[in-house]
Amino acid sequence: QPSPSPSPTVPPAPATTADAGATLTPEQLRQLRPNELGFIPVLEYHNFVEDPKDEAQFARPLDDFRADLRWLYEHDFYVIPLRDLILNRIAAPAGKRPVVLTFDDSYASQFRVLVNADGTWTIDPDSAVGIMEEFFAAHPDFGRGGFFAVIPGFCFDWLPDRREEDQTALCPKKISWLLDHGYGIGNHTLDHVSLYDVTDDEFKRQIGGAIEALQAYDPRVTADIIAMPYGDYPDRQKHHQQRLWLRHGFTYNGRTITILGCLMVGANPTESPASTEFDPVWIARIQAFDGDVDVRDAPNLYQWFDRMMADPETVYVSDGNPDTITVPEQLPVALAGTLDEARLEAEGKTVIRY
């Protein structure tokens, strides 16, 4: 098996660049205006293409992806792990707006490697991981990471019209590399099937079997966050028990499977984990297509960017301390009634109003 050449990028950033014990001064509060009840964009990517003419709802041109990262950086967003959002341990620096990058279907275009003559490999700079690594290295104050919902049998080796067979055997090394460099590996079911109407046994096999298959690549994988294929959840009437399993867990092959969170397909920023409206079983995302693609009734990525900048007081702004939840005394109308101080304090958070 080829082995990786030394990474040309910087080592992964620490889990937080914030001073976890710090409390902002009154002057810093006035300047930075933290609001940890605000909405958080979770961006949803699929395939990547080189030719802009091939752009589609689920096919993002590589140069557009580069532009997305630049826009986020220039507007004070900071990349955080999806897991930190779900667990309400966001460690973005004070004044930064958290953003999560997610990638469904494990296309080759997301993480392709180039095998060298000596058997080592380097990351294709024209793949999503290559682009992110270059950007993170150039902008260490942007955070780093991303969440990859991997299909075990199509692990970074396929495109819509073919498989890249030279990539297939590299799956375990890619999974391990991602984990080593601050990325997350998630569950997209064993066979990428809709979970809307399947038997209980098949439901368990698709989720539990995916965990087993991914852990065979690297035992560190948890795969306890699911990107729901096609955005389909179990039918409310036929499969109520399966919905409960998503929330409370189930047993598969003699082991307890606990689900930390579930990702929807679209269609808006998600709620803050500090908000009473946040539900980890229903995490909203923004699909990454722009005005060149017409998707009925779905605002495109830059329409969402414009909305957030037109109404910035509704967007999550970090206070730099994952142990405190800082919110203004006067909440915007969109966030009114979403603060439960007693609940947050019971969870070990200190609530700060200003």
Side-chain angles (χ1 to χ4, degrees):
Q1 294 261 340
S3 58
S5 59
S7 173
T9 61
V10 296
T16 175
T17 57
D19 180 352
T23 299
L24 297 179
T25 66
E27 178 59 27
Q28 289 172 321
L29 290 170
R30 283 192 295 271
Q31 281 187 336
L32 300 175
R33 304 297 299 170
N35 180 5
E36 297 186 312
L37 277 185
F39 298 105
I40 299 173
V42 179
L43 306 190
E44 175 187 343
Y45 293 94
H46 293 77
N47 189 26
F48 292 87
V49 295
E50 293 190 17
D51 191 337
K53 291 184 291 187
D54 294 330
E55 180 176 12
Q57 181 179 4
F58 298 124
R60 191 78 174 140
L62 292 167
D63 283 342
D64 286 356
F65 182 50
R66 293 183 176 96
D68 298 344
L69 297 178
R70 284 195 302 272
W71 188 96
L72 291 166
Y73 179 74
E74 290 168 359
H75 290 81
D76 292 325
F77 283 88
Y78 186 89
V79 177
I80 64 167
L82 176 60
R83 198 173 200 84
D84 286 1
L85 184 155
I86 295 172
L87 295 175
N88 195 12
R89 61 184 189 195
I90 293 171
K96 293 291 187 179
R97 303 175 171 117
V99 61
V100 177
L101 307 175
T102 70
F103 305 85
D104 288 12
D105 301 337
S106 52
Y107 286 97
S109 61
Q110 293 175 8
F111 190 8
R112 183 184 293 107
V113 300
L114 307 175
V115 180
N116 304 315
D118 63 358
T120 61
W121 53 258
T122 54
I123 299 169
D124 184 350
D126 288 323
S127 67
V129 171
I131 289 170
M132 285 190 291
E133 285 295 298
E134 180 181 14
F135 198 89
F136 295 150
H139 305 89
D141 55 341
F142 184 48
R144 64 175 292 112
F147 171 86
F148 290 88
V150 176
I151 306 170
F154 291 83
C155 179
F156 302 117
D157 71 346
W158 75 290
L159 294 173
D161 59 344
R162 68 185 188 279
R163 294 192 80 151
E164 298 188 2
E165 295 183 1
D166 65 322
Q167 300 291 305
T168 300
L170 295 169
C171 173
K173 293 184 181 293
K174 290 182 181 180
I175 295 288
S176 296
W177 188 95
L178 289 168
L179 293 174
D180 288 342
H181 290 77
Y183 295 89
I185 302 297
N187 197 318
H188 208 29
T189 72
L190 187 61
D191 302 308
H192 196 269
V193 302
S194 167
L195 296 179
Y196 180 73
D197 186 14
V198 297
T199 66
D200 288 352
D201 286 346
E202 180 65 4
F203 174 90
K204 292 182 176 183
R205 188 182 78 89
Q206 285 297 327
I207 296 175
I211 294 174
E212 290 182 344
L214 292 169
Q215 288 179 342
Y217 294 138
D218 189 311
R220 294 176 296 167
V221 173
T222 57
D224 54 358
I225 303 172
I226 304 174
M228 304 298 287
Y230 313 103
D232 290 342
Y233 286 72
D235 179 82
R236 186 185 301 274
Q237 302 302 322
K238 292 182 180 180
H239 301 294
H240 178 66
Q241 181 60 61
Q242 293 176 15
R243 288 190 168 219
L244 293 179
W245 285 336
L246 288 175
R247 189 174 298 281
H248 302 297
F250 57 90
T251 300
Y252 176 74
N253 278 355
R255 63 185 291 189
T256 299
I257 304 295
T258 302
I259 305 305
L260 189 65
C262 305
L263 300 177
M264 296 190 283
V265 174
N268 49 266
T270 199
E271 297 84 1
S272 162
S275 168
T276 56
E277 298 299 302
F278 179 74
D279 185 341
V281 177
W282 302 88
I283 300 173
R285 294 188 286 174
I286 298 172
Q287 295 179 29
F289 62 89
D290 60 30
D292 296 328
V293 179
D294 182 20
V295 178
R296 181 175 297 180
D297 299 327
N300 66 53
L301 177 60
Y302 281 84
Q303 286 174 318
W304 276 116
F305 284 171
D306 289 344
R307 289 185 186 188
M308 288 187 289
M309 293 302 94
D311 209 8
E313 68 274 11
T314 66
V315 181
Y316 189 116
V317 178
S318 176
D319 68 0
N321 186 342
D323 297 323
T324 60
I325 301 298
T326 301
V327 296
E329 285 287 356
Q330 185 64 44
L331 288 170
V333 173
L335 303 179
T338 64
L339 176 64
D340 184 341
E341 294 190 41
R343 190 205 79 185
L344 291 170
E345 289 170 355
E347 294 172 357
K349 303 293 185 181
T350 299
V351 178
I352 298 172
R353 306 294 300 272
Y354 70 98

